[in-house]
Amino acid sequence: LTLAIALSLDALFMERKTTMTVLKIKTQEGTFTAVFSECGLARLEFPQTKPAPSARNNGQSAPTSQQRRWSRLTAAALQQVLAGKKPTALPPLDWSGSTAFQRRVWKALLHIAPGRTRTYLQIAADAGNPSGARAAGNACGANPVPVLVPCHRVVTANGELGGFSGGLEWKRRLLAREGVALSF
DNA sequence: ACTGGGTAAACAG
DNA sequence: CTGTTTACCCAGT
């Protein structure tokens, strides 16, 4: 019963899936891939070391002028965070499809200043669930816009690094840029 | 250093 | 709804 309802809702969502445009963003650290919807930046991918996995740069619709503007905002913000600074502006973020808990977690991440860290437990509390540290970790792992939404500033309560969707090397590098002393 | 119980959220079936 | 999987935490060995 509930399964059937879930399936039909899913079908509805699939039906109104918006077209995404994919743009490359060059930095000193490599070429990032940004995916824009009509609502804003939906995803940011780290430079791909190996092949070209984002298979679809081909059949995309041309970026709107708005999306080109968002792309410039994204590029500028990216440079600033990579330099260890707080970005002066962010593009609008498309968090559609995420849960309320995830959005609360991601919003809390935006309040962590460069050079500061916060634990999964603290983020869970920020998001309104003090016993949800593990769930907060899951939400961080599902963050579609790493770097700009600084999930790399979240570490474990016992002083370890925790995980990182883009690979722990990136997490270490980003924290080092911000002057965070790493003891691992 | 390791283990086990507690805990929450997303997901597949 | 049940089971499985986590980027966790804490108190015991």
Side-chain angles (χ1 to χ4, degrees), chain A residues 25 32 41 44 46 70 73-82 87 89-91 93 106 109-110 112 143 145-153 174:
Chain A
I25 296 182
F32 287 69
L41 177 61
L44 186 61
F46 285 97
W70 292 341
L73 274 179
T74 302
L78 198 46
Q79 310 285 1
Q80 294 173 95
V81 178
L82 290 176
L90 291 182
L93 303 174
W106 300 338
L109 299 182
L110 290 172
I112 313 178
N143 171 22
V145 187
V147 185
L148 300 194
V149 179
C151 56
H152 59 277
R153 295 180 192 137
L174 291 166

Side-chain angles (χ1 to χ4, degrees), chain A residues 5-168:
Chain A
I5 293 173
L7 286 177
S8 56
L9 283 178
D10 215 24
L12 279 179
F13 266 109
M14 297 307 275
E15 219 171 321
R16 69 181 304 281
K17 178 169 17 178
T18 69
T19 78
M20 298 286 187
T21 79
V22 178
L23 294 176
K24 300 293 185 184
I25 296 182
K26 290 203 187 84
T27 75
Q28 263 104 357
E29 313 279 346
T31 301
F32 287 69
T33 303
V35 181
F36 295 92
S37 71
E38 56 192 17
C39 302
L41 177 61
R43 224 146 56 81
L44 186 61
E45 295 172 6
F46 285 97
Q48 305 290 349
T49 52
K50 301 189 289 182
S54 261
R56 66 276 188 270
N57 199 356
N58 35 20
Q60 297 305 313
S61 53
T64 64
S65 61
Q66 190 176 50
Q67 286 172 330
R68 279 193 297 272
R69 197 158 43 79
W70 292 341
S71 181
R72 285 193 295 274
L73 274 179
T74 302
L78 198 46
Q79 310 285 1
Q80 294 173 95
V81 178
L82 290 176
K85 295 188 297 190
K86 181 184 175 68
T88 50
L90 291 182
L93 303 174
D94 183 355
W95 284 346
S96 63
S98 59
T99 68
F101 179 76
Q102 287 172 330
R103 284 192 291 267
R104 289 201 301 274
V105 166
W106 300 338
K107 200 174 294 185
L109 299 182
L110 290 172
H111 292 144
I112 313 178
R116 305 297 303 276
T117 61
R118 206 152 172 73
T119 69
Y120 292 100
L121 181 61
Q122 289 173 319
I123 290 298
D126 293 344
N129 190 342
S131 61
R134 194 165 196 165
N138 284 334
C140 288
N143 171 22
V145 187
V147 185
L148 300 194
V149 179
C151 56
H152 59 277
R153 295 180 192 137
V154 187
V155 297
T156 66
N158 65 2
E160 291 183 358
L161 201 50
F164 198 63
S165 58
L168 286 179

